[in-house]
Amino acid sequence: MVDFQSRYRLYGHGYTSPELKYPVPSYRELYHSKAPTIFSRRPKMHDCRQDAMKDYVDSREWETWLLSQGLRETIRSATSLNLKVKETYSDGTKKELVLTIKSEPRQERPERLLFNIGVRGSGDGDFNFPRSVITTRDGDVVVADTMNHRIQIFNSFGVFLTKFGKRGIGKLQFSEPTDVAEIPNNDLAVADKRNKRVQIVTQGGQFRSMFETVDEPYSIASDLSGHVIVSTSRRTIEVYKKGGKLIHRFVIPGVSRDTFGCKICVNNRQEVIVCDAVNATIKFFTYEGRYVSKFSPRSYSEGLSIIPSGITINRMGEILVADSLNHTVNAYNDNGDLLKQAICPTDQAGCIQACAVGPEGHLVTTEFSLSGPHTLKIFRYRPCHCHITRPGSSKRRTPTPQTFR
């Protein structure tokens, strides 16, 4: 569609000229040059990835920053091992010496907490038992605000964007929504616990469809094929096809407690990863319910018990487990080997209940306890130069104006 002068193309979110004023060598430069014109009403997404990864616009691409990091370390190691010089002694003999390159002085680790959003309450940007958090492909943060019976959406800086839902049994009404997941068409699947159903809504808060579940849904996940996997409060897993047809249902083995469900996520092998807080284990099942493997997550310090309260998986396949008892988030592989500690109490982490990793490389968590704060926090997950000197936000709500939508 063009206007009466046939000069500018018109879109619902603005206009732009179809002719480029000058050539650009990459998609990244094209985005930075044209995004302020095309997407004038939305903030530019922050990107902490390595430069080698920024040219990839597909969110499903393999993490090339890992490759660039490995190559850089390999070259540095090879250079330090193979650098040789010849030294001549007073008697005329010569000998080759291997010189070692001194490592760069280690800089002080920057503060990991970037934003601390909200307090316990019912206002915009406040929470009352935020049991779940996810990040969308666009970088927005979606929080299931359980006891406020609503869904809240923030951008990647923690700025409040919108909310929808209230207590009830009708469309776009919830009764203790405990989890939310993004399905392949970018809509949201909300686990409406007390109403025993799953509602499909848009990110703008428009109702799409709903389907009932056998038991009360507690946690929810979705894969690239459109399957919706539901973990219920009776420790069962229900797998639904696109459209809401139940195809598989099985029981999670182990010691159980009434109305205490398990958080779940899925990997790219069509396996359900169950975070069993009661038995302190991480379990793997196929969609048909066949047991694959399990491991008991261990902490950095010996003798510490762990209560796994939240789980997510990043694009490298690492499993991030939130430990509400020790106030940490640790990364493990499929075998249960501890890879690294993402955040800990010295990073101002509290009683973490859920975690997610955004496309820009930040770790997002929700925290609450009976007597503690109910809040959303955004941490620096990978080292980035853009936040070396940035202090963590200690403001009550968001640090920037709420005028993006």
Side-chain angles (χ1 to χ4, degrees), residues 40-55:
S40 58
R41 289 187 291 175
R42 292 203 62 179
K44 193 182 299 183
M45 177 187 290
H46 176 66
D47 200 339
C48 284
R49 299 177 296 171
Q50 297 285 342
D51 291 338
M53 185 62 185
K54 291 183 180 180
D55 289 333

Side-chain angles (χ1 to χ4, degrees), residues 73-366:
E73 294 298 328
T74 302
I75 293 174
R76 182 181 301 173
S77 299
T79 303
S80 63
L81 290 175
N82 298 326
L83 185 61
K84 299 180 179 181
V85 296
K86 292 183 178 180
E87 183 174 345
T88 304
Y89 294 95
S90 56
D91 57 356
T93 59
K94 296 182 179 181
K95 187 177 181 181
E96 286 189 349
L97 298 177
V98 179
L99 296 182
T100 58
I101 300 177
K102 294 183 179 180
S103 59
E104 299 177 356
R106 186 174 181 179
Q107 299 179 351
E108 184 179 356
R109 190 187 71 175
E111 187 178 358
R112 289 187 178 180
L113 179 62
L114 299 176
F115 302 106
N116 183 6
I117 303 102
V119 296
R120 186 171 186 177
S122 58
D124 293 348
D126 292 336
F127 307 98
N128 192 4
F129 290 90
R131 294 193 177 275
S132 174
V133 62
I134 65 166
T135 55
T136 66
R137 297 180 185 90
D138 294 332
D140 291 341
V141 179
V142 185
V143 181
D145 195 0
T146 302
M147 299 312 295
N148 282 327
H149 311 283
R150 65 184 181 183
I151 302 298
Q152 295 198 72
I153 302 180
F154 304 81
N155 70 2
S156 57
F157 298 93
V159 179
F160 173 80
L161 296 179
T162 185
K163 64 179 180 181
F164 55 86
K166 61 180 181 179
R167 188 167 192 174
I169 60 174
K171 297 178 180 179
L172 278 180
Q173 295 180 345
F174 307 103
S175 181
E176 297 185 16
T178 53
D179 203 356
V180 62
E182 186 181 21
I183 58 180
N185 64 351
N186 296 335
D187 288 343
L188 302 176
V190 182
D192 194 358
K193 181 181 178 182
R194 297 300 181 185
N195 290 327
K196 292 180 67 174
R197 65 186 181 184
V198 172
Q199 293 196 57
I200 308 298
V201 298
T202 65
Q203 296 187 27
Q206 297 179 350
F207 176 81
R208 292 286 196 191
S209 62
M210 71 172 68
F211 59 87
E212 295 183 353
T213 58
V214 179
D215 298 313
E216 291 182 346
Y218 182 80
S219 183
I220 192 170
S222 179
D223 60 11
L224 294 177
S225 301
H227 294 93
V228 176
I229 299 90
V230 177
S231 170
T232 71
S233 57
R234 297 179 63 88
R235 291 179 61 87
T236 60
I237 300 293
E238 301 174 5
V239 182
Y240 294 87
K241 288 180 62 177
K242 184 178 181 180
K245 181 181 178 181
L246 179 64
I247 56 176
H248 301 294
R249 182 174 181 267
F250 60 91
V251 178
I252 302 173
V255 178
S256 63
R257 293 180 184 173
D258 293 337
T259 68
F260 197 89
C262 300
K263 294 289 185 68
I264 61 171
C265 65
V266 295
N267 57 21
N268 56 6
R269 300 190 298 271
Q270 289 197 343
E271 293 177 349
V272 185
I273 308 175
V274 179
C275 178
D276 191 349
V278 177
N279 298 277
T281 55
I282 306 298
K283 303 175 182 178
F284 295 75
F285 299 91
T286 64
Y287 286 179
E288 295 79 13
R290 181 175 60 85
Y291 169 78
V292 178
S293 63
K294 70 176 181 179
F295 68 87
S296 297
R298 56 189 179 88
S299 64
Y300 255 63
S301 301
E302 296 182 359
L304 288 180
S305 58
I306 288 181
I307 298 181
S309 55
I311 190 170
T312 189
I313 188 168
N314 62 18
R315 296 178 189 174
M316 293 184 298
E318 297 174 346
I319 301 171
L320 274 68
V321 179
D323 180 8
S324 60
L325 180 63
N326 299 302
H327 302 180
T328 61
V329 174
N330 296 329
Y332 305 87
N333 60 15
D334 290 346
N335 298 324
D337 300 324
L338 180 61
L339 302 178
K340 60 184 175 182
Q341 187 174 82
I343 56 175
C344 62
T346 58
D347 301 313
Q348 303 182 44
C351 189
I352 302 172
Q353 302 294 331
C355 59
V357 178
E360 74 286 340
H362 291 161
L363 177 65
V364 185
T365 66
T366 55

